Amino acid sequence: MPIEFKQVSHEYSPNTPFAYKALNEIDLELAEGKITAIVGATGSGKTTIVQHLNALLLPTQGEIVVVDKTIKSTEKPKNLKALRKQVGLVFQFPEYQLFEETILKDVAFGPKNFGVSEEDAQEKAKEALKMVGLDETFYERSPLDLSGGQKRRVAIAGILAMDPQVLVLDEPTAGLDPQGAKQMMGLFEMLNKKHGKTILVVTHDMEHVLDYCDEVVVVERGKIAMHVSKEEFFEDASLMVKANINPPAIIRMRTMLQEKGFAIPNTVLSLEALVKALKKGVA
Amino acid sequence: MKNIVLGRYIPLDSVIHKMDPRAKIIAMITLLVAIFIDTGYIGYGIIAAFILCAVFLAKLKLDFVWKALKPMLFMLCFLLVINVLVLKTGYVLVDIFGFKIYSDAIFQTLYIVIRLVLMIIITTLLTASTKPMDLTIAIEDLLSPFKVIGVPAHDIAMMISIALRFIPTLLEESQRIMKAQESRGVDLQEGSFKEKVMAILSLIVPLFVSSFQRADDLANAMEARGYNPGGKRVRYKQLKFVLRDYIMLLCVFGLVAGLIATKVTGIL
């Protein structure tokens, strides 16, 4: 089931002096079973797009089809819970939503809200905690005593325990150390490859886009400026320049070498490929 | 929640906006006192006309004032019910199967509502036409004579300005947490009583945690920049009374003096 935006607009506080149009008639189709990156400058509308996916925000115009449900501007969708169970949304800095006395209880909170029995919810919570790399010594601790990175993992486990088909993450690695960020992205890749989850990531980190994503959506001032495959996006450096994005190190290196006269094809997207191409050129 | 108008500053260019905040606070307090003088419907009519003129001068839309008053409707109903049940004086207005509604019940309610409505309009006018920062400076200035008897004017003003500063932040924060919990299946509208308690808990606990965190961070940031509540400081923004402030205060005092005079002499 693809996710489809049809002519969607969203205006914040309409009919007031503070009215602000965050999305302007966007069309977007996101394929199932892929990791899609949403990139763009701050204030371009990324978060607004993401919050439409589980009907936290309703479009002021147009409609969205998500997991066989249609969210329209004209009517409030029924059965929101079913939709929210299918589309798990992890907010920016999700650690601020923890509230239960123990970590296990907090992670089991989501599934319990969706009508899962107490025991099953605990089971799911344990599974989710294992996935994010927290063992049973954490179960009975208070989520408020953890470090920032650990809190983040608990919060993400809280969404994973709901077992959503589509996982939407708003800057999941912001404020994490490079090692933690890498682990986090690795986890999402595993969920995509092994469990077939559709994953959407809002991110500023082009290295992550290059390493983990399949498709790239560029948002610019409330419009979709570009929607291309990762290869297409990184092969043509001018696309990044156009989108005002600082390319990842390896792409910058490739461009620099090309400018110095090295014959390196644009298809080079990794360090290994770059080394290979250079060796070939020297030989 | 974005529609909260109580205490919100509306940036407009008007005479009232330009007035000295100290003059505005004095005028507000004077008018509030005047409202508690029982001058009958005519007196309240005069005060209402005066206040509406001020609203008009501040270029505020009546729609905005109405929004500020809306929460009062509940209060009105509540008062009406209590008064109808309790007050048994005056003449009988309606008699439904022996249950009598007396005239005083209605008039008393009307009286209280008129007072409340006027008070809310006056305070809304003040907050809508004065930047929160100016307001706190004015409060500090007005309280400074009381420093002699140990009133910590600066500390009070600082507390008020910090509280005001964080209202929008906390609103935003609570909205964010609400959305996050809604994503986890919390339903704030429906569900059993137990579920609702849980839903509210899931909102309040994180809000508390982050408020304390913020307070701690703010205190540290202030200390890091050498803030000392007892320190002597000067201000960038100097307040000054000009002609329009004197004229406004004169009008307000004149009005209140007139009302008191009529009350004492018994004309009204």
Side-chain angles (χ1 to χ4, degrees):
Chain A
M1 291 160 278
I3 296 166
E4 216 180 327
F5 282 68
K6 293 178 195 158
Q7 291 285 304
V8 172
S9 298
H10 188 89
E11 193 174 13
Y12 285 107
S13 13
N15 306 323
T16 66
F18 308 99
Y20 172 68
K21 203 160 194 175
L23 294 180
N24 202 349
E25 294 179 1
I26 64 163
D27 286 302
L28 181 63
E29 204 181 319
L30 301 166
E32 205 187 344
K34 292 203 168 159
I35 305 184
T36 306
I38 300 180
V39 301
T42 25
S44 57
K46 299 177 302 260
T47 301
T48 311
I49 291 184
V50 157
Q51 291 188 1
H52 276 85
L53 289 170
N54 69 352
L56 282 178
L57 292 177
L58 298 178
T60 42
Q61 231 178 73
E63 61 179 60
I64 304 156
V65 183
V66 190
V67 201
D68 70 23
K69 287 218 164 39
T70 309
I71 306 164
K72 279 190 199 146
S73 57
T74 42
E75 53 183 313
K76 236 188 144 115
K78 286 176 203 107
N79 218 346
L80 271 178
K81 266 200 172 175
L83 173 69
R84 288 187 179 150
K85 199 209 159 305
Q86 300 266 16
V87 183
L89 180 60
V90 178
F91 273 77
Q92 216 171 329
F93 302 112
E95 47 272 33
Y96 292 117
Q97 71 198 36
L98 305 174
F99 75 99
E100 280 277 18
E101 296 143 59
T102 71
I103 290 174
L104 195 62
K105 264 190 182 171
D106 201 288
V107 176
F109 179 65
K112 263 188 352 211
N113 279 328
F114 291 114
V116 174
S117 74
E118 182 78 45
E119 295 93 67
D120 286 356
Q122 292 240 344
E123 217 35 65
K124 285 191 171 205
K126 284 177 186 166
E127 244 171 76
L129 281 168
K130 207 170 137 199
M131 267 195 248
V132 296
L134 296 173
D135 57 31
E136 57 259 34
T137 55
F138 285 93
Y139 289 174
E140 296 306 318
R141 285 173 63 180
S142 162
L144 305 178
D145 292 337
L146 300 177
S147 74
Q150 286 169 331
K151 274 188 194 168
R152 178 83 51 99
R153 285 167 198 223
V154 173
I156 289 175
I159 300 291
L160 290 181
M162 287 156 40
D163 195 23
Q165 194 44 44
V166 181
L167 190 57
V168 187
L169 304 131
D170 196 349
E171 300 202 29
T173 59
L176 289 186
D177 59 293
Q179 198 55 40
K182 225 172 167 175
Q183 278 174 7
M184 207 52 94
M185 292 307 291
L187 169 68
F188 304 142
E189 192 180 30
M190 188 275 287
L191 286 168
N192 172 256
K193 298 273 161 342
K194 241 173 98 182
H195 300 266
K197 310 259 186 224
T198 305
I199 293 181
L200 255 109
V201 188
V202 174
T203 183
H204 283 293
D205 194 326
M206 286 303 131
E207 309 285 347
H208 290 160
V209 177
L210 179 62
D211 290 347
Y212 300 101
C213 299
D214 302 311
E215 289 190 6
V216 182
V217 174
V218 181
V219 189
E220 229 176 70
R221 271 178 256 120
K223 289 257 188 200
I224 304 292
M226 232 182 276
H227 181 191
V228 292
S229 73
K230 171 182 78 178
E231 288 78 14
E232 238 179 295
F233 187 68
F234 288 111
E235 277 169 20
D236 189 353
S238 68
L239 283 182
M240 277 172 277
V241 175
K242 219 174 92 193
N244 211 357
I245 282 165
N246 194 16
I250 196 77
I251 306 296
R252 288 205 302 274
M253 177 107 168
R254 185 190 76 196
T255 321
M256 261 144 73
L257 287 169
Q258 281 170 335
E259 277 164 8
K260 296 278 180 211
F262 286 89
I264 296 165
N266 271 337
T267 48
V268 168
L269 296 177
S270 66
L271 189 61
E272 292 82 43
L274 185 71
V275 171
K276 224 184 250 172
L278 276 174
K279 272 188 185 158
K280 218 159 93 193
V282 173
Chain B
M1 222 191 271
K2 284 223 168 90
N3 295 325
I4 288 178
V5 287
L6 207 70
R8 189 180 199 170
Y9 173 65
I10 304 293
L12 290 170
D13 183 33
S14 81
V15 202
I16 305 272
H17 280 70
K18 279 187 207 133
M19 278 173 190
D20 191 308
R22 289 172 299 181
K24 279 191 273 191
I25 290 180
I26 295 169
M28 180 192 79
I29 293 170
T30 318
L31 282 171
L32 287 182
V33 170
I35 286 171
F36 279 99
I37 305 166
D38 183 9
T39 47
Y41 293 113
I42 300 167
Y44 285 132
I46 295 167
I47 297 177
F50 186 82
I51 292 168
L52 282 179
C53 277
V55 169
F56 177 73
L57 277 178
K59 294 185 183 165
L60 289 174
K61 290 202 185 86
L62 283 179
D63 191 41
F64 174 80
V65 178
W66 171 238
K67 262 193 199 153
L69 289 174
K70 246 189 191 164
M72 284 285 304
L73 285 177
F74 169 75
M75 193 68 178
L76 169 76
C77 297
F78 183 72
L79 275 173
L80 194 65
V81 170
I82 295 282
N83 274 344
V84 163
L85 290 177
V86 173
L87 276 179
K88 301 281 180 214
T89 51
Y91 53 91
V92 176
L93 271 182
V94 194
D95 191 341
I96 317 162
F97 305 117
F99 180 76
K100 299 182 180 85
I101 295 175
Y102 290 87
S103 60
D104 274 10
I106 306 293
F107 291 133
Q108 279 279 356
T109 313
L110 203 61
Y111 233 70
I112 298 171
V113 168
I114 288 173
R115 283 177 173 175
L116 282 175
V117 164
L118 289 177
M119 273 162 65
I120 289 177
I121 297 179
I122 291 172
T123 42
T124 306
L125 184 63
L126 177 75
T127 50
S129 71
T130 320
K131 281 186 202 139
M133 274 303 147
D134 290 349
L135 216 51
T136 47
I137 292 175
I139 290 171
E140 187 177 349
D141 266 19
L142 291 174
L143 284 179
S144 54
F146 300 107
K147 269 185 195 158
V148 200
I149 54 163
V151 176
H154 172 73
D155 301 43
I156 291 173
M158 189 50 125
M159 278 195 282
I160 294 171
S161 70
I162 289 174
L164 286 174
R165 158 66 185 76
F166 277 96
I167 289 173
T169 313
L170 284 180
L171 272 180
E172 214 171 84
E173 183 93 5
S174 62
Q175 229 151 21
R176 223 176 48 86
I177 294 168
M178 226 146 96
K179 276 184 180 169
Q181 303 297 25
E182 272 180 69
S183 298
R184 292 215 276 168
V186 166
D187 198 333
L188 286 163
Q189 265 101 46
E190 283 157 47
S192 66
F193 179 72
K194 200 188 154 211
E195 278 171 334
K196 266 191 189 153
V197 169
M198 207 55 187
I200 290 170
L201 211 63
S202 77
L203 176 66
I204 288 176
V205 174
L207 201 58
F208 249 82
V209 172
S210 83
S211 306
F212 278 110
Q213 185 68 48
R214 258 177 223 286
D216 207 29
D217 288 349
L218 182 69
N220 284 337
M222 283 166 81
E223 247 168 45
R225 282 186 278 177
Y227 175 76
N228 165 21
K232 238 187 152 33
R233 47 175 60 78
V234 287
R235 259 197 226 123
Y236 169 67
K237 191 169 180 169
Q238 299 289 336
L239 297 176
K240 212 168 173 257
F241 266 56
V242 290
L243 186 64
R244 61 167 167 260
D245 301 313
Y246 290 116
I247 294 176
M248 190 266 287
L249 281 180
L250 209 65
C251 289
V252 172
F253 287 146
L255 176 81
V256 176
L259 284 172
I260 292 172
T262 49
K263 175 78 188 162
V264 172
T265 52
I267 297 171
L268 279 177

